[in-house]
Amino acid sequence: MITENPLYGGSAPALLVRSEGIDRSLAPGPAYLIGRDPDGAIVISDARISWQHAVLRFEDGRWLLRDLDSSNGTWLNGRRVVEAEVRPGDVLHLGGCRLRL
């Protein structure tokens, strides 16, 4: 789900990520690292997920997902991707974890 973010003048969308029963709103600006690295923004403790598996970032008015040469790949809506635009309702699979965007 994309919502308006008042920190960015109401024009840049925040991205809501649902994982393991937790909802997290990601504001545009920084890049968000996904993986087992405890210093990452979205930490997933699944051995099939790489330490630094993928990254979400807001660029040129859209949210992008990029695989970071992970061992088991990054899947968006059932399709393996290296880089792709993400939209509300998309489903991201990493290892045995499913994230709803």
Side-chain angles (χ1 to χ4, degrees):
M1 169 193 219
I2 294 183
T3 58
E4 295 298 316
N5 186 333
L7 295 175
Y8 292 86
S11 61
L15 183 67
L16 179 64
V17 178
R18 292 185 175 143
S19 171
E20 300 178 347
I22 298 171
D23 289 356
R24 176 141 188 224
S25 181
L26 306 180
Y32 295 94
L33 181 64
I34 304 169
R36 290 182 298 135
D37 183 345
D39 292 328
I42 301 173
V43 180
I44 304 169
S45 57
D46 180 327
R48 294 169 286 184
I49 294 177
S50 296
W51 191 254
Q52 296 185 342
H53 196 102
V55 66
L56 278 168
R57 70 182 185 286
F58 188 75
E59 183 177 297
D60 297 327
R62 60 194 181 137
W63 281 95
L64 297 174
L65 169 71
R66 178 153 185 81
D67 182 81
L68 298 175
D69 296 322
S70 64
S71 299
N72 294 311
T74 298
W75 301 78
L76 184 64
N77 301 322
R79 182 176 57 95
R80 190 171 184 162
V81 297
V82 173
E83 184 168 276
E85 181 175 355
V86 296
R87 295 183 177 97
D90 284 347
V91 177
L92 174 61
H93 283 95
L94 310 164
C97 181
R98 179 179 141 190
L99 289 82
R100 179 162 297 278
L101 308 171

PDB file of all heavy atoms in Angstrom, residues 33-38 42-54 67-74 80 94-96:
ATOM      1  N   LEU A  33      17.938  -2.115   3.133  1.00  0.00           N
ATOM      2  CA  LEU A  33      18.556  -3.417   2.939  1.00  0.00           C
ATOM      3  C   LEU A  33      17.680  -4.509   3.527  1.00  0.00           C
ATOM      4  O   LEU A  33      17.198  -4.388   4.656  1.00  0.00           O
ATOM      5  CB  LEU A  33      19.934  -3.447   3.603  1.00  0.00           C
ATOM      6  CG  LEU A  33      20.729  -4.730   3.482  1.00  0.00           C
ATOM      7  CD1 LEU A  33      21.076  -5.008   2.018  1.00  0.00           C
ATOM      8  CD2 LEU A  33      21.992  -4.631   4.313  1.00  0.00           C
ATOM      9  N   ILE A  34      17.479  -5.580   2.761  1.00  0.00           N
ATOM     10  CA  ILE A  34      16.709  -6.740   3.202  1.00  0.00           C
ATOM     11  C   ILE A  34      17.654  -7.932   3.263  1.00  0.00           C
ATOM     12  O   ILE A  34      18.402  -8.184   2.305  1.00  0.00           O
ATOM     13  CB  ILE A  34      15.574  -7.064   2.211  1.00  0.00           C
ATOM     14  CG1 ILE A  34      14.671  -5.850   2.015  1.00  0.00           C
ATOM     15  CG2 ILE A  34      14.765  -8.263   2.689  1.00  0.00           C
ATOM     16  CD1 ILE A  34      13.703  -6.002   0.858  1.00  0.00           C
ATOM     17  N   GLY A  35      17.641  -8.665   4.361  1.00  0.00           N
ATOM     18  CA  GLY A  35      18.484  -9.848   4.477  1.00  0.00           C
ATOM     19  C   GLY A  35      18.631 -10.288   5.916  1.00  0.00           C
ATOM     20  O   GLY A  35      17.900  -9.850   6.795  1.00  0.00           O
ATOM     21  N   ARG A  36      19.613 -11.160   6.166  1.00  0.00           N
ATOM     22  CA  ARG A  36      19.866 -11.653   7.524  1.00  0.00           C
ATOM     23  C   ARG A  36      20.753 -10.730   8.343  1.00  0.00           C
ATOM     24  O   ARG A  36      20.870 -10.882   9.551  1.00  0.00           O
ATOM     25  CB  ARG A  36      20.488 -13.045   7.465  1.00  0.00           C
ATOM     26  CG  ARG A  36      19.524 -14.112   6.992  1.00  0.00           C
ATOM     27  CD  ARG A  36      20.146 -15.490   6.991  1.00  0.00           C
ATOM     28  NE  ARG A  36      21.278 -15.490   6.059  1.00  0.00           N
ATOM     29  CZ  ARG A  36      22.471 -16.018   6.305  1.00  0.00           C
ATOM     30  NH1 ARG A  36      22.708 -16.649   7.427  1.00  0.00           N
ATOM     31  NH2 ARG A  36      23.429 -15.955   5.419  1.00  0.00           N
ATOM     32  N   ASP A  37      21.387  -9.755   7.693  1.00  0.00           N
ATOM     33  CA  ASP A  37      22.265  -8.807   8.383  1.00  0.00           C
ATOM     34  C   ASP A  37      21.458  -8.056   9.449  1.00  0.00           C
ATOM     35  O   ASP A  37      20.485  -7.377   9.130  1.00  0.00           O
ATOM     36  CB  ASP A  37      22.829  -7.815   7.368  1.00  0.00           C
ATOM     37  CG  ASP A  37      23.818  -6.831   7.960  1.00  0.00           C
ATOM     38  OD1 ASP A  37      23.898  -6.701   9.204  1.00  0.00           O
ATOM     39  OD2 ASP A  37      24.521  -6.171   7.168  1.00  0.00           O
ATOM     40  N   PRO A  38      21.843  -8.183  10.723  1.00  0.00           N
ATOM     41  CA  PRO A  38      21.081  -7.522  11.789  1.00  0.00           C
ATOM     42  C   PRO A  38      21.090  -6.003  11.684  1.00  0.00           C
ATOM     43  O   PRO A  38      20.276  -5.341  12.309  1.00  0.00           O
ATOM     44  CB  PRO A  38      21.751  -8.006  13.084  1.00  0.00           C
ATOM     45  CG  PRO A  38      23.034  -8.596  12.684  1.00  0.00           C
ATOM     46  CD  PRO A  38      22.953  -8.974  11.237  1.00  0.00           C
ATOM     47  N   ILE A  42      15.244  -4.459   6.987  1.00  0.00           N
ATOM     48  CA  ILE A  42      14.265  -5.539   7.109  1.00  0.00           C
ATOM     49  C   ILE A  42      15.061  -6.821   7.316  1.00  0.00           C
ATOM     50  O   ILE A  42      15.681  -7.339   6.383  1.00  0.00           O
ATOM     51  CB  ILE A  42      13.364  -5.629   5.865  1.00  0.00           C
ATOM     52  CG1 ILE A  42      12.612  -4.307   5.666  1.00  0.00           C
ATOM     53  CG2 ILE A  42      12.391  -6.795   5.999  1.00  0.00           C
ATOM     54  CD1 ILE A  42      11.833  -4.220   4.378  1.00  0.00           C
ATOM     55  N   VAL A  43      15.094  -7.284   8.550  1.00  0.00           N
ATOM     56  CA  VAL A  43      15.895  -8.450   8.922  1.00  0.00           C
ATOM     57  C   VAL A  43      15.000  -9.687   8.907  1.00  0.00           C
ATOM     58  O   VAL A  43      13.956  -9.710   9.551  1.00  0.00           O
ATOM     59  CB  VAL A  43      16.534  -8.262  10.309  1.00  0.00           C
ATOM     60  CG1 VAL A  43      17.362  -9.477  10.690  1.00  0.00           C
ATOM     61  CG2 VAL A  43      17.374  -6.990  10.339  1.00  0.00           C
ATOM     62  N   ILE A  44      15.441 -10.703   8.162  1.00  0.00           N
ATOM     63  CA  ILE A  44      14.696 -11.950   8.056  1.00  0.00           C
ATOM     64  C   ILE A  44      15.647 -13.093   8.397  1.00  0.00           C
ATOM     65  O   ILE A  44      16.651 -13.291   7.715  1.00  0.00           O
ATOM     66  CB  ILE A  44      14.111 -12.136   6.643  1.00  0.00           C
ATOM     67  CG1 ILE A  44      13.246 -10.923   6.276  1.00  0.00           C
ATOM     68  CG2 ILE A  44      13.325 -13.429   6.558  1.00  0.00           C
ATOM     69  CD1 ILE A  44      12.842 -10.875   4.830  1.00  0.00           C
ATOM     70  N   SER A  45      15.326 -13.822   9.436  1.00  0.00           N
ATOM     71  CA  SER A  45      16.205 -14.908   9.887  1.00  0.00           C
ATOM     72  C   SER A  45      15.789 -16.231   9.241  1.00  0.00           C
ATOM     73  O   SER A  45      15.155 -17.069   9.858  1.00  0.00           O
ATOM     74  CB  SER A  45      16.185 -15.005  11.414  1.00  0.00           C
ATOM     75  OG  SER A  45      14.863 -15.206  11.856  1.00  0.00           O
ATOM     76  N   ASP A  46      16.152 -16.388   7.998  1.00  0.00           N
ATOM     77  CA  ASP A  46      15.883 -17.595   7.219  1.00  0.00           C
ATOM     78  C   ASP A  46      17.196 -17.955   6.524  1.00  0.00           C
ATOM     79  O   ASP A  46      17.758 -17.123   5.807  1.00  0.00           O
ATOM     80  CB  ASP A  46      14.773 -17.315   6.197  1.00  0.00           C
ATOM     81  CG  ASP A  46      14.419 -18.514   5.336  1.00  0.00           C
ATOM     82  OD1 ASP A  46      15.315 -19.327   5.023  1.00  0.00           O
ATOM     83  OD2 ASP A  46      13.248 -18.627   4.953  1.00  0.00           O
ATOM     84  N   ALA A  47      17.689 -19.163   6.725  1.00  0.00           N
ATOM     85  CA  ALA A  47      18.985 -19.572   6.169  1.00  0.00           C
ATOM     86  C   ALA A  47      19.027 -19.509   4.648  1.00  0.00           C
ATOM     87  O   ALA A  47      20.098 -19.433   4.053  1.00  0.00           O
ATOM     88  CB  ALA A  47      19.323 -20.985   6.638  1.00  0.00           C
ATOM     89  N   ARG A  48      17.863 -19.496   3.998  1.00  0.00           N
ATOM     90  CA  ARG A  48      17.818 -19.423   2.529  1.00  0.00           C
ATOM     91  C   ARG A  48      17.943 -17.996   2.011  1.00  0.00           C
ATOM     92  O   ARG A  48      18.014 -17.770   0.816  1.00  0.00           O
ATOM     93  CB  ARG A  48      16.529 -20.053   2.015  1.00  0.00           C
ATOM     94  CG  ARG A  48      16.481 -21.556   2.298  1.00  0.00           C
ATOM     95  CD  ARG A  48      15.124 -22.109   2.039  1.00  0.00           C
ATOM     96  NE  ARG A  48      14.253 -21.663   3.140  1.00  0.00           N
ATOM     97  CZ  ARG A  48      12.999 -22.016   3.289  1.00  0.00           C
ATOM     98  NH1 ARG A  48      12.427 -22.796   2.403  1.00  0.00           N
ATOM     99  NH2 ARG A  48      12.295 -21.597   4.313  1.00  0.00           N
ATOM    100  N   ILE A  49      17.978 -17.046   2.930  1.00  0.00           N
ATOM    101  CA  ILE A  49      18.116 -15.638   2.556  1.00  0.00           C
ATOM    102  C   ILE A  49      19.558 -15.222   2.781  1.00  0.00           C
ATOM    103  O   ILE A  49      20.153 -15.521   3.812  1.00  0.00           O
ATOM    104  CB  ILE A  49      17.146 -14.768   3.382  1.00  0.00           C
ATOM    105  CG1 ILE A  49      15.712 -15.135   3.000  1.00  0.00           C
ATOM    106  CG2 ILE A  49      17.406 -13.291   3.166  1.00  0.00           C
ATOM    107  CD1 ILE A  49      14.662 -14.419   3.790  1.00  0.00           C
ATOM    108  N   SER A  50      20.106 -14.510   1.807  1.00  0.00           N
ATOM    109  CA  SER A  50      21.488 -14.046   1.915  1.00  0.00           C
ATOM    110  C   SER A  50      21.616 -12.973   2.985  1.00  0.00           C
ATOM    111  O   SER A  50      20.646 -12.320   3.361  1.00  0.00           O
ATOM    112  CB  SER A  50      21.953 -13.485   0.574  1.00  0.00           C
ATOM    113  OG  SER A  50      21.972 -14.501  -0.405  1.00  0.00           O
ATOM    114  N   TRP A  51      22.843 -12.788   3.476  1.00  0.00           N
ATOM    115  CA  TRP A  51      23.130 -11.797   4.504  1.00  0.00           C
ATOM    116  C   TRP A  51      22.630 -10.425   4.040  1.00  0.00           C
ATOM    117  O   TRP A  51      21.946  -9.726   4.767  1.00  0.00           O
ATOM    118  CB  TRP A  51      24.637 -11.777   4.769  1.00  0.00           C
ATOM    119  CG  TRP A  51      25.041 -10.995   5.968  1.00  0.00           C
ATOM    120  CD1 TRP A  51      25.637  -9.768   5.980  1.00  0.00           C
ATOM    121  CD2 TRP A  51      24.897 -11.380   7.343  1.00  0.00           C
ATOM    122  NE1 TRP A  51      25.872  -9.370   7.267  1.00  0.00           N
ATOM    123  CE2 TRP A  51      25.440 -10.336   8.133  1.00  0.00           C
ATOM    124  CE3 TRP A  51      24.381 -12.494   7.984  1.00  0.00           C
ATOM    125  CZ2 TRP A  51      25.462 -10.373   9.511  1.00  0.00           C
ATOM    126  CZ3 TRP A  51      24.414 -12.528   9.361  1.00  0.00           C
ATOM    127  CH2 TRP A  51      24.949 -11.475  10.111  1.00  0.00           C
ATOM    128  N   GLN A  52      22.984 -10.044   2.831  1.00  0.00           N
ATOM    129  CA  GLN A  52      22.474  -8.833   2.191  1.00  0.00           C
ATOM    130  C   GLN A  52      21.827  -9.275   0.884  1.00  0.00           C
ATOM    131  O   GLN A  52      22.477  -9.385  -0.146  1.00  0.00           O
ATOM    132  CB  GLN A  52      23.588  -7.818   1.970  1.00  0.00           C
ATOM    133  CG  GLN A  52      24.159  -7.331   3.275  1.00  0.00           C
ATOM    134  CD  GLN A  52      25.191  -6.241   3.108  1.00  0.00           C
ATOM    135  OE1 GLN A  52      25.744  -6.033   2.041  1.00  0.00           O
ATOM    136  NE2 GLN A  52      25.465  -5.530   4.194  1.00  0.00           N
ATOM    137  N   HIS A  53      20.550  -9.563   0.944  1.00  0.00           N
ATOM    138  CA  HIS A  53      19.823 -10.241  -0.129  1.00  0.00           C
ATOM    139  C   HIS A  53      19.329  -9.289  -1.222  1.00  0.00           C
ATOM    140  O   HIS A  53      19.530  -9.531  -2.410  1.00  0.00           O
ATOM    141  CB  HIS A  53      18.632 -10.993   0.477  1.00  0.00           C
ATOM    142  CG  HIS A  53      18.038 -12.001  -0.423  1.00  0.00           C
ATOM    143  ND1 HIS A  53      18.276 -13.347  -0.290  1.00  0.00           N
ATOM    144  CD2 HIS A  53      17.211 -11.877  -1.488  1.00  0.00           C
ATOM    145  CE1 HIS A  53      17.626 -14.008  -1.231  1.00  0.00           C
ATOM    146  NE2 HIS A  53      16.960 -13.125  -1.972  1.00  0.00           N
ATOM    147  N   ALA A  54      18.652  -8.216  -0.813  1.00  0.00           N
ATOM    148  CA  ALA A  54      18.060  -7.284  -1.776  1.00  0.00           C
ATOM    149  C   ALA A  54      17.958  -5.909  -1.135  1.00  0.00           C
ATOM    150  O   ALA A  54      18.166  -5.749   0.066  1.00  0.00           O
ATOM    151  CB  ALA A  54      16.672  -7.774  -2.197  1.00  0.00           C
ATOM    152  N   ASP A  67      17.927  -7.172  -6.524  1.00  0.00           N
ATOM    153  CA  ASP A  67      18.583  -8.327  -5.930  1.00  0.00           C
ATOM    154  C   ASP A  67      20.077  -8.026  -5.834  1.00  0.00           C
ATOM    155  O   ASP A  67      20.665  -7.445  -6.750  1.00  0.00           O
ATOM    156  CB  ASP A  67      18.354  -9.557  -6.812  1.00  0.00           C
ATOM    157  CG  ASP A  67      18.981 -10.792  -6.221  1.00  0.00           C
ATOM    158  OD1 ASP A  67      18.364 -11.389  -5.332  1.00  0.00           O
ATOM    159  OD2 ASP A  67      20.106 -11.145  -6.650  1.00  0.00           O
ATOM    160  N   LEU A  68      20.706  -8.403  -4.740  1.00  0.00           N
ATOM    161  CA  LEU A  68      22.128  -8.133  -4.515  1.00  0.00           C
ATOM    162  C   LEU A  68      22.968  -9.389  -4.727  1.00  0.00           C
ATOM    163  O   LEU A  68      23.785  -9.748  -3.894  1.00  0.00           O
ATOM    164  CB  LEU A  68      22.328  -7.558  -3.105  1.00  0.00           C
ATOM    165  CG  LEU A  68      21.621  -6.231  -2.836  1.00  0.00           C
ATOM    166  CD1 LEU A  68      21.796  -5.817  -1.374  1.00  0.00           C
ATOM    167  CD2 LEU A  68      22.132  -5.138  -3.775  1.00  0.00           C
ATOM    168  N   ASP A  69      22.752 -10.042  -5.872  1.00  0.00           N
ATOM    169  CA  ASP A  69      23.465 -11.287  -6.207  1.00  0.00           C
ATOM    170  C   ASP A  69      23.261 -12.345  -5.130  1.00  0.00           C
ATOM    171  O   ASP A  69      24.186 -13.053  -4.734  1.00  0.00           O
ATOM    172  CB  ASP A  69      24.961 -11.025  -6.427  1.00  0.00           C
ATOM    173  CG  ASP A  69      25.222 -10.131  -7.625  1.00  0.00           C
ATOM    174  OD1 ASP A  69      24.500 -10.283  -8.639  1.00  0.00           O
ATOM    175  OD2 ASP A  69      26.121  -9.279  -7.551  1.00  0.00           O
ATOM    176  N   SER A  70      22.028 -12.459  -4.663  1.00  0.00           N
ATOM    177  CA  SER A  70      21.699 -13.436  -3.628  1.00  0.00           C
ATOM    178  C   SER A  70      21.840 -14.858  -4.159  1.00  0.00           C
ATOM    179  O   SER A  70      21.762 -15.101  -5.359  1.00  0.00           O
ATOM    180  CB  SER A  70      20.262 -13.213  -3.139  1.00  0.00           C
ATOM    181  OG  SER A  70      19.349 -13.449  -4.195  1.00  0.00           O
ATOM    182  N   SER A  71      22.044 -15.791  -3.256  1.00  0.00           N
ATOM    183  CA  SER A  71      22.216 -17.200  -3.634  1.00  0.00           C
ATOM    184  C   SER A  71      20.944 -17.813  -4.206  1.00  0.00           C
ATOM    185  O   SER A  71      20.995 -18.578  -5.162  1.00  0.00           O
ATOM    186  CB  SER A  71      22.648 -18.018  -2.419  1.00  0.00           C
ATOM    187  OG  SER A  71      23.879 -17.552  -1.928  1.00  0.00           O
ATOM    188  N   ASN A  72      19.784 -17.501  -3.619  1.00  0.00           N
ATOM    189  CA  ASN A  72      18.533 -18.138  -4.015  1.00  0.00           C
ATOM    190  C   ASN A  72      17.594 -17.240  -4.805  1.00  0.00           C
ATOM    191  O   ASN A  72      16.479 -17.641  -5.126  1.00  0.00           O
ATOM    192  CB  ASN A  72      17.815 -18.680  -2.776  1.00  0.00           C
ATOM    193  CG  ASN A  72      18.613 -19.806  -2.157  1.00  0.00           C
ATOM    194  OD1 ASN A  72      19.047 -20.726  -2.842  1.00  0.00           O
ATOM    195  ND2 ASN A  72      18.833 -19.732  -0.857  1.00  0.00           N
ATOM    196  N   GLY A  73      18.009 -16.037  -5.116  1.00  0.00           N
ATOM    197  CA  GLY A  73      17.217 -15.157  -5.952  1.00  0.00           C
ATOM    198  C   GLY A  73      16.137 -14.388  -5.221  1.00  0.00           C
ATOM    199  O   GLY A  73      15.808 -14.649  -4.074  1.00  0.00           O
ATOM    200  N   THR A  74      15.607 -13.424  -5.937  1.00  0.00           N
ATOM    201  CA  THR A  74      14.532 -12.569  -5.463  1.00  0.00           C
ATOM    202  C   THR A  74      13.375 -12.721  -6.441  1.00  0.00           C
ATOM    203  O   THR A  74      13.562 -12.614  -7.649  1.00  0.00           O
ATOM    204  CB  THR A  74      15.005 -11.098  -5.398  1.00  0.00           C
ATOM    205  OG1 THR A  74      16.089 -11.012  -4.454  1.00  0.00           O
ATOM    206  CG2 THR A  74      13.905 -10.164  -4.985  1.00  0.00           C
ATOM    207  N   ARG A  80      11.278 -14.348 -11.157  1.00  0.00           N
ATOM    208  CA  ARG A  80      12.604 -13.999 -10.633  1.00  0.00           C
ATOM    209  C   ARG A  80      13.054 -12.685 -11.269  1.00  0.00           C
ATOM    210  O   ARG A  80      12.939 -12.495 -12.479  1.00  0.00           O
ATOM    211  CB  ARG A  80      13.605 -15.107 -10.935  1.00  0.00           C
ATOM    212  CG  ARG A  80      14.916 -14.892 -10.216  1.00  0.00           C
ATOM    213  CD  ARG A  80      15.829 -16.075 -10.331  1.00  0.00           C
ATOM    214  NE  ARG A  80      17.021 -15.851  -9.546  1.00  0.00           N
ATOM    215  CZ  ARG A  80      17.835 -16.788  -9.168  1.00  0.00           C
ATOM    216  NH1 ARG A  80      17.594 -18.046  -9.500  1.00  0.00           N
ATOM    217  NH2 ARG A  80      18.892 -16.508  -8.450  1.00  0.00           N
ATOM    218  N   LEU A  94      11.489 -14.206  -0.777  1.00  0.00           N
ATOM    219  CA  LEU A  94      12.920 -14.358  -0.530  1.00  0.00           C
ATOM    220  C   LEU A  94      13.081 -15.597   0.313  1.00  0.00           C
ATOM    221  O   LEU A  94      12.549 -15.645   1.424  1.00  0.00           O
ATOM    222  CB  LEU A  94      13.484 -13.153   0.241  1.00  0.00           C
ATOM    223  CG  LEU A  94      13.169 -11.764  -0.293  1.00  0.00           C
ATOM    224  CD1 LEU A  94      13.461 -10.724   0.767  1.00  0.00           C
ATOM    225  CD2 LEU A  94      13.986 -11.487  -1.521  1.00  0.00           C
ATOM    226  N   GLY A  95      13.766 -16.603  -0.181  1.00  0.00           N
ATOM    227  CA  GLY A  95      13.880 -17.846   0.576  1.00  0.00           C
ATOM    228  C   GLY A  95      12.489 -18.362   0.882  1.00  0.00           C
ATOM    229  O   GLY A  95      11.642 -18.473   0.007  1.00  0.00           O
ATOM    230  N   GLY A  96      12.188 -18.646   2.146  1.00  0.00           N
ATOM    231  CA  GLY A  96      10.868 -19.104   2.540  1.00  0.00           C
ATOM    232  C   GLY A  96       9.981 -17.989   3.061  1.00  0.00           C
ATOM    233  O   GLY A  96       8.930 -18.237   3.617  1.00  0.00           O
TER     234      GLY A  96
END
